Amino acid sequence: MKTTLAAATLCLVALTAAGFPFERKGGSPPGVAPKEKRVQYAAWDDVNVIAHGLLQLGQGLKEHVDRTKVQMRDISTKLKLFNRTVAEMGRESQRLRAEGEALAARARGLEDREGQLLNVTAELREKAEEMQRERRAMGERMGRLEERVDGVLQGDAVQPGARNNSDARSIQLMLESQNRRIDDLMERIRLQQEKLDKQNVRIRTLQSQIHQSRQTATPPRGTNDSAQSRVPEQRDSPVDAASDCHELFLRGETASGVYSVRPGAEPFDVYCEMTPEGGWTVIQRRRDGSVDFDRLWEAYEKGFGSLKGEFWLGLEKIHSIARNGGYVLNIKLSDWADDLVSLSLPFQLGGEDTRYSLQIAEVGAFSTLESSLGTDATSGLPFSTHDQDNDQKSDTNCARHLSGGWWFSNCGRSNLNGRYFQSPPPKQRHQRKQGIFWKTWRGRYYPLKSSVMMIAPAAIENKS
């Protein structure tokens, strides 16, 4: 561009010089007539060449100016975007820093509480050990008194024997009182230990959230364009998902509702019933007949319905939660007079290879209410549906004869997945037997109003 401008300037100078006439300086010799002045003009072709060069120069300058304007607009736009991105990242960093400081403060508070709980626990343990030593000493004294009482019964004097019996009785009462105090202290220690476990879980969760917030708050490095496209990743759940509703309760969740758990490889949603003692994972709910439970094996295996209404969680999901045992099954029933009843059974659920066999642990004799399911399931009851006949009745498919899918023995003791009948129920017995029933509560032909089935670790039963 500079070369073209210089050339055009030279041409313009030449044209200016050639375009104006000039005359030679100095006069003619004396006696000689002066010659006629000659005027010189530039050639027309030269003028055209110079004009063409000037035109090209003007066009080049115009194109250069236009390109410069476009480049300046692009640079201005990029600067504005960069400034906006930097401002947004600054605000986001400040927000994340504030959240991190709040989480750190909560973690420090929880650590302080943990220290206090540890001190209280240590004191209670010392008291418990002291009480146990006293208990052993009292036991030794009781043994010696028993020996003396035996001697009295074998022929010692009457008056000393009566006094010994009175001493033995008073010591026995003292020993029972000491035992009650020891049991009370042990219970307090257990409660303190559970609170301490909750605090530890919360501290670990907060620490993971703080670590995650610090990682998210680090601004990405790179060019301006990449800075615009990178946005801090947001996560809605802790790094380690809970395996069931009771673990969520231990982490501080106290409101009933839908949560995500991951007892196995894949997470899934469940409805958690939170109580003062812990969290229960609901696996079945019947209350209004809005969901058809007369379904085939695949549906019962995967689950169906709405977690906020009527639903069946799914055999595979139930197995993934309770496959290792140590769980209790709680069943709540209601009739059309709104009378309620509840029962709990320790259970274990097998996998698909056992046809999801339900095994109820027999702890003493079953009550009348528990016998409708517990008695038949002590050795394991496979699950049955219309297309999978696994019941114990050889000549009848109980699921097809009744309705829905259930752990049937010989068709007649319980079925909480039967047809839902609004009150009043059908008059025909062959229709009523297809409903929701629990034989040892309201009888074989009484369709119940509602049922809820929940599972939780057996430790929750010891608290209630």
Side-chain angles (χ1 to χ4, degrees):
M1 180 59 69
K2 291 181 179 179
T3 305
T4 305
L5 182 59
T9 305
L10 290 174
C11 291
L12 182 60
V13 171
L15 177 61
T16 304
F20 294 95
F22 64 91
E23 57 183 39
R24 296 179 180 177
K25 295 182 179 180
S28 299
V32 180
K35 292 182 181 181
E36 185 179 358
K37 293 180 180 179
R38 296 180 61 186
V39 180
Q40 294 182 359
Y41 295 95
W44 184 254
D45 293 339
D46 294 337
V47 173
N48 287 337
V49 170
I50 294 172
H52 184 68
L54 291 173
L55 181 61
Q56 289 181 344
L57 174 62
Q59 290 177 349
L61 289 173
K62 183 177 181 299
E63 292 175 356
H64 178 70
V65 170
D66 292 340
R67 286 195 298 270
T68 303
K69 288 182 179 179
V70 172
Q71 292 175 357
M72 292 189 68
R73 282 197 299 269
D74 292 341
I75 292 173
S76 178
T77 302
K78 290 182 179 179
L79 284 174
K80 290 179 181 179
L81 291 175
F82 177 76
N83 291 335
R84 189 181 301 114
T85 302
V86 170
E88 292 176 355
M89 291 178 62
R91 289 191 297 269
E92 186 67 18
S93 298
Q94 290 178 356
R95 185 185 66 81
L96 293 174
R97 191 179 299 109
E99 290 181 357
E101 292 175 354
L103 289 174
R106 289 182 61 188
R108 288 193 296 270
L110 290 175
E111 288 175 354
D112 294 339
R113 291 187 61 187
E114 180 185 10
Q116 296 174 0
L117 288 174
L118 287 173
N119 294 333
V120 173
T121 303
E123 292 177 1
L124 290 175
R125 285 176 178 170
E126 291 177 359
K127 290 181 180 179
E129 292 175 356
E130 182 180 355
M131 295 299 294
Q132 288 176 353
R133 288 193 296 269
E134 292 181 1
R135 183 177 182 177
R136 286 193 294 269
M138 294 298 293
E140 294 175 356
R141 291 179 60 187
M142 191 66 186
R144 290 194 296 270
L145 287 173
E146 287 178 351
E147 293 177 357
R148 293 179 62 184
V149 170
D150 291 339
V152 170
L153 293 177
Q154 291 175 2
D156 288 348
V158 176
Q159 188 66 25
R163 185 172 58 253
N164 289 338
N165 288 334
S166 176
D167 293 341
R169 179 59 181 168
S170 63
I171 292 175
Q172 185 176 5
L173 293 175
M174 290 175 59
L175 184 59
E176 291 176 355
S177 175
Q178 293 290 345
N179 288 337
R180 286 193 296 269
R181 290 179 59 190
I182 291 173
D183 293 338
D184 182 63
L185 284 174
M186 294 301 294
E187 179 65 18
R188 289 174 61 186
I189 291 173
R190 185 183 63 81
L191 293 176
Q192 291 292 340
Q193 187 64 42
E194 290 177 354
K195 291 180 180 179
L196 184 61
D197 293 339
K198 288 184 183 180
Q199 296 294 339
N200 289 333
V201 171
R202 291 178 184 175
I203 289 172
R204 288 196 299 270
T205 303
L206 285 173
Q207 288 174 346
S208 64
Q209 290 176 354
I210 292 171
H211 180 68
Q212 177 186 348
S213 299
R214 288 175 178 171
Q215 289 181 342
T216 307
T218 303
R221 298 180 179 179
T223 62
N224 297 341
D225 294 336
S226 63
Q228 299 173 17
S229 61
R230 295 182 185 177
V231 179
E233 182 181 359
Q234 301 293 331
R235 297 185 181 180
D236 297 329
S237 59
V239 177
D240 297 326
S243 59
D244 62 6
C245 292
H246 188 59
E247 187 172 343
L248 285 170
F249 174 82
L250 294 178
R251 293 186 180 188
E253 300 292 347
T254 57
S256 299
V258 178
Y259 295 87
S260 179
V261 299
R262 188 171 63 187
E266 296 296 330
F268 53 87
D269 290 340
V270 296
Y271 188 91
C272 295
E273 186 72 28
M274 299 300 187
T275 66
E277 294 78 23
W280 291 84
T281 305
V282 181
I283 65 172
Q284 184 252 34
R285 184 189 292 128
R286 307 291 303 277
R287 64 186 181 189
D288 54 18
S290 58
V291 175
D292 183 14
F293 273 64
D294 193 13
R295 304 197 183 209
L296 301 181
W297 178 267
E298 184 178 3
Y300 272 98
E301 186 175 35
K302 295 181 178 179
F304 53 85
S306 170
L307 290 176
K308 294 184 178 180
E310 291 195 336
F311 71 93
W312 174 260
L313 183 60
L315 292 166
E316 185 58 36
K317 296 175 183 176
I318 301 171
H319 168 68
S320 67
I321 296 174
R323 62 181 178 273
N324 295 325
Y327 271 71
V328 62
L329 171 65
N330 180 262
I331 300 175
K332 298 181 182 297
L333 307 173
S334 72
D335 60 14
W336 290 95
D338 291 330
D339 290 333
L340 303 176
V341 72
S342 176
L343 65 146
S344 295
L345 297 168
F347 82 103
Q348 185 172 355
L349 188 67
E352 184 181 8
D353 55 334
T354 68
R355 317 313 288 170
Y356 300 103
S357 178
L358 175 70
Q359 184 172 7
I360 302 296
E362 187 174 4
V363 183
F366 290 110
S367 67
T368 302
L369 188 65
E370 297 169 344
S371 63
S372 285
L373 183 61
T375 303
D376 297 325
T378 53
S379 58
L381 277 180
F383 199 83
S384 294
T385 59
H386 281 202
D387 54 337
Q388 291 281 350
D389 184 10
N390 301 314
D391 57 61
Q392 297 179 350
K393 199 170 182 64
S394 59
D395 57 344
T396 303
N397 183 338
C398 295
R400 188 176 302 168
H401 179 64
L402 301 177
S403 182
W406 189 248
W407 293 282
F408 292 108
S409 54
N410 56 3
C411 302
R413 299 178 67 86
S414 64
N415 179 17
L416 299 184
N417 291 333
R419 293 178 60 187
Y420 191 92
F421 291 115
Q422 299 285 347
S423 181
K427 295 182 178 180
Q428 291 78 12
R429 288 167 61 91
H430 71 279
Q431 291 181 342
R432 292 204 305 273
K433 71 180 181 181
Q434 295 181 349
I436 307 170
F437 70 90
W438 195 266
K439 183 176 180 180
T440 56
W441 187 42
R442 287 293 181 260
R444 174 69 178 80
Y445 297 98
Y446 185 98
L448 298 175
K449 181 179 180 180
S450 68
S451 70
V452 178
M453 300 173 64
M454 308 182 296
I455 62 174
I460 198 174
E461 282 289 296
N462 298 330
K463 301 179 186 178
S464 58

